[in-house]
């Protein structure tokens, strides 16, 4: 009898058929699978290779056959359509957009040093970048008859997404504002390709949402339905998690109550981190120069205008060099920085590098980085003022200790 | 002979006919006139009374008769039109928009405590809010034949404004991107009314630009010409001043060189300050509660989602209450905060208030405020990392010392 139960549990194990994964991912949890790439991989690739793109799963990976895949699109009581992936590919213009996706919990480990927080202890690489190919959500909404007057007439204000991944709390779901979803320039995609390849199972095969500039949690994977609605997604991930509660709510009860009133996390704040060298590295420093590499991301479509480094706690600074990059077809792209007019579609990160001269007599170095985005917003020195019990949105100066070997 | 010269100088004195001003303004310079309101006035009025709205003049106030006023609008070689104010009023839909304008140098005095900076030593009130009435720049551009295909064909990317105020460096000028100018939702106005009254001389009579969400320097007063152009404004205020140079340029030569490469300041970062009580105030504190009032502003159209106060250097925090307000017709407006969809037109500030309980045994209090905008950007603890030789864009935590009397 006991053996039968055991077997039945194995067969019913929702995690029994997870995809195989790269050994280069640093695993934070197996069930659900959550993992981040090494710092080297991020530093060496403007577009993160698919197999090492950070993975943030909330639930078991659903098994989906593309030939069975249907995307339901609904609005009000009168609009309901179903699309196969093949239909989407053949009937809408394709768009390819470079987009950085970042987990709201990126750098939670750093925030937890101020005071304990809940959640997976992400280091600074719960962020990755890809070229995503798909169709524009705005085009699909227009196609089914969603217009500005239609949503106004029916009081529809949000676009609610559900994935095929489910569990005790229902299917994974999230929503974004109608304005953001409908605006062509917002580049919200229903994507089936990532860096020119079909989506891996961990990243939403066969189709996912990509919502540029917003917290990663809104880019729903294994996308099953799209509903234009009067209300936000009622999922726990929209209603309870992924809220910026702030440093005045020290216990779970207070934090949960505040979450009911707070808006969901939408756009993310300006972020940066050092990728190379790593914290606690011992360097030969033969030429008394520390060479650093890292990323900066403006959030919400805002570009990066400057990255600054300090080795004395903020008293003196050196400007980093912002790297141009090559797109996947080898053409040089000015994805980085802000030009003489700001690029409103700066959805992807800026990689940077710097060579810092150091004193021959010094053996320990405290290096911090912070970035400035096109709106002149910058990062706070420490996580003290942005601390929250969920450990979200740590964008304080990223600091590492280095030693002379 | 000498006397003749003296008389001639008096007659030619460009500052001889400056308007009369309220005694309630704190004067920073007389020639050109620069002055900021008291903190009480800002705290007590969602819309700053016109006579105490902060004044940032770069040059003498020009004398303009409305009957002589002509606004020139040019684009490429083929488009040139002139408008009287009467024509603008009669031929375009009117728009009234609540907009906060902030000087890039607001809170420069605080930044100068880190290290010396150039410029007028503004305290924390080089910021004010009004309801502005005028016509949309986008409507006027469309009317003269400026279309997206026209600007694309002629390589036009900027809209350049000139005022009637001039001096040795030419007329005051500034530019904004074509995208920002042309987008109806960006609410860029050619305004002739401020809080329901005609513009005062110090604020651009008879007509000025109001460019919401951007640094005050772009809202050109005494507006004389609008040119859609391939290039930015060549004025020193666009090309040399009002750039975010950063903390690595310690001397004027280095700062000036960096300014050549840097983008102009466009959107401003999230800001907040305490208005009541004032720094160094002695309070009776009979009920052992400090009641505070102040402002917060998200910059770039981003609303304020939270304002936090600390009395122990950032270790513990209390959330302030965001104030609703009444518009000038007495209707309650939810100008403050961010609702269930973010308001993309949150151009005006959020006033806040808080009651902080204090220990009966404590006699000195260090209070700091910082705000979080709808993009989850926040303010840095100190001006160390954002310091720049021009003293621009100080949005560090605003801190005051208070005493028990
Ligand atoms: Mo996340
Ligand atoms: Mo200014």
């Amino acid at each position: 009898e006991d053996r039968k139960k055991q077997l039945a549990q194995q067969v019913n194990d929702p995690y029994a058929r997870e995809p195989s994964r790269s050994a280069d991912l640093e695993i934070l949890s197996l069930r659900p699978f959550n993992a981040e790439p090494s710092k080297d991989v991020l530093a060496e690739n403007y577009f993160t290779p698919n197999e090492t793109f950070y993975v943030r799963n909330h639930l078991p990976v659903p098994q989906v056959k593309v030939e069975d895949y249907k995307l339901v699109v609904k609005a009000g009581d009168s609009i309901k359509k179903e699309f196969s992936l093949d239909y989407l590919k053949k009937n809408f213009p394709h768009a390819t957009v470079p987009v950085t996706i970042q987990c709201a919990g990126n750098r939670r480990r750093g925030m937890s040093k101020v005071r304990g927080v809940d959640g997976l202890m992400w280091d600074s690489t719960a962020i990755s970048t890809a070229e995503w190919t798909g169709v524009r959500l705005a085009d699909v909404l227009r196609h089914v008859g969603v217009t500005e007057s239609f949503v106004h007439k029916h009081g529809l204000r949000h676009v609610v997404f559900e994935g095929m991944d489910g569990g005790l709390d229902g299917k994974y779901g999230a929503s974004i504002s109608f304005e953001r979803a409908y605006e062509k320039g917002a580049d919200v995609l229903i994507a089936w390709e990532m860096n020119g390849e079909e989506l891996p199972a961990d990243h939403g095969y066969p189709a996912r949402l990509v919502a540029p500039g917003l917290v990663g949690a809104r880019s729903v994977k294994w996308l099953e339905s799209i509903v234009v609605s009067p209300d936000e997604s009622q999922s726990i991930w929209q209603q309870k998690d992924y809220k910026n509660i702030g440093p005045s709510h020290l216990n779970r009860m207070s934090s949960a109550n505040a979450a009911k009133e707070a808006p969901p996390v939408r756009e993310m704040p300006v972020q940066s981190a050092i990728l190379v060298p790593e914290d606690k590295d011992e360097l030969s420093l033969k030429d008394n120069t520390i060479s650093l590499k890292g990323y900066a991301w403006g959030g919400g479509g805002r570009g990066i205008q400057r990255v600054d480094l300090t080795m004395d706690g903020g008293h003196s600074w050196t400007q980093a060099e912002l790297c141009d990059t090559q797109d996947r077809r080898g053409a040089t792209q000015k994805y980085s920085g802000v030009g003489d007019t700001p690029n409103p579609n700066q959805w992807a990160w800026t990689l940077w590098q710097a060579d810092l001269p150091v004193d021959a007599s010094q053996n320990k170095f405290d290096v911090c980085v912070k970035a400035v985005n096109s709106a002149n917003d910058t990062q706070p020195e420490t996580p003290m003022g942005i601390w929250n019990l969920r450990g979200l949105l740590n964008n304080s100066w990223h600091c590492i200790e280095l030693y002379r070997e």
Side-chain angles (χ1 to χ4, degrees), chain A residues 77-88:
Chain A
D77 293 331
S78 56
I79 293 176
K80 183 176 175 185
K81 289 273 160 80
E82 273 195 7
F83 298 105
S84 68
L85 188 57
D86 195 53
Y87 186 92
L88 291 175

Side-chain angles (χ1 to χ4, degrees), chain A residues 54 56 58 102-106 122 215-217 242 392:
Chain A
Y54 89 94
R56 173 58 174 126
H58 296 84
Q102 184 184 218
C103 179
N106 190 29
W122 297 103
V215 60
Y242 299 113
L392 303 180

